[in-house]
Amino acid sequence: MRPNLYQAIYPARVAHVDLENAYVLVSLEELADLADHEPSAVERHWAEYIAKRRVHQPAFRGMVLKAYDTQCTVCRFKHAELLDAAHITADSEATGDAVVTNGMAMCKIHHAAYDRDFLGVTPDYTIKINTDLLNEVDGPMLKHGLQEMHNLQIQPPVRSSERPSKERLAARFAAFSAR
Ligand SMILES: [Zn+2]
């Protein structure tokens, strides 16, 4: 990322080596294209993951943002450039389908906080902030952006068929509470 700072991305495959020019091409994809190679379970899983992301994620984001009227369900922030479709059941799990009832539109900070269990949502749509974070003293992002969201209600989609699944929320909230 910059000298002496690396981000590991794996598994990856060496796709091409050019010894003359000291050049190595590392590929994160195309594992399925290796004709002379029987993919391992890890490689198959990775290839499926990449395919799933490529095919389903843009559609998922579009569906979820539309359902939530392009606003963060926690803080109502309205700029699409800074909004994500957060998964309730993680997409790395077998049941983490890219369906609107498995998503919530969230701004970047609330999405990251939700993924890392700093912020939870109960099955009855109440926002909970991690106890350690509630007791911390820091600047305006912590105070207004997170602590003041505690015990407020999320803004769910108008259409009931698009609202987040209570079963998924319950399972996810149990993981948040166990932290
Ligand atoms: Zn937000």
Side-chain angles (χ1 to χ4, degrees):
M1 296 169 76
R2 58 182 161 81
N4 300 318
L5 180 66
Y6 303 93
Q7 184 179 0
I9 300 174
Y10 58 93
R13 162 174 89 87
V14 175
H16 182 70
V17 180
D18 180 347
L19 290 176
E20 217 164 277
N21 299 306
Y23 171 80
V24 177
L25 178 65
V26 178
S27 171
L28 300 172
E29 302 185 24
E30 297 163 40
L31 289 164
D33 297 343
L34 293 176
D36 58 342
H37 168 93
E38 182 62 35
S40 69
V42 170
E43 286 171 334
R44 260 200 305 276
H45 182 75
W46 182 249
E48 276 169 21
Y49 174 74
I50 291 286
K52 217 162 132 184
R53 285 195 79 90
R54 199 192 282 145
V55 176
H56 297 303
Q57 295 319 313
F60 177 63
R61 181 178 191 278
M63 265 177 345
V64 171
L65 259 57
K66 186 167 177 282
Y68 286 78
D69 205 13
T70 316
Q71 61 176 357
C72 174
T73 194
V74 175
C75 69
R76 325 261 158 103
F77 188 81
K78 288 182 188 67
H79 292 269
E81 299 89 335
L82 296 179
L83 292 175
D84 289 333
H87 285 79
I88 301 170
T89 311
D91 65 339
S92 55
E93 288 178 34
T95 54
D97 316 281
V99 292
V100 72
T101 50
N102 187 32
M104 290 185 286
M106 287 186 182
C107 67
K108 299 281 181 189
I109 187 83
H110 288 133
H111 182 196
Y114 188 65
D115 279 357
R116 286 160 186 77
D117 290 328
F118 286 121
L119 182 156
V121 178
T122 70
D124 62 0
Y125 301 157
T126 305
I127 299 159
K128 295 287 177 186
I129 299 296
N130 167 286
T131 311
D132 290 345
L133 215 58
L134 276 180
N135 294 326
E136 220 177 283
V137 178
D138 195 25
M141 179 52 81
L142 178 69
K143 186 174 191 292
H144 304 300
L146 292 163
Q147 289 169 338
E148 286 177 9
M149 300 296 133
H150 188 61
N151 286 333
L152 297 184
Q153 293 284 111
I154 62 162
Q155 183 75 27
V158 177
R159 292 166 68 172
S160 57
S161 63
E162 294 181 329
R163 288 181 194 153
S165 152
K166 299 209 174 229
E167 290 74 31
R168 290 185 189 276
L169 284 173
R172 183 64 191 271
F173 189 70
F176 166 85
S177 304
R179 228 179 84 104

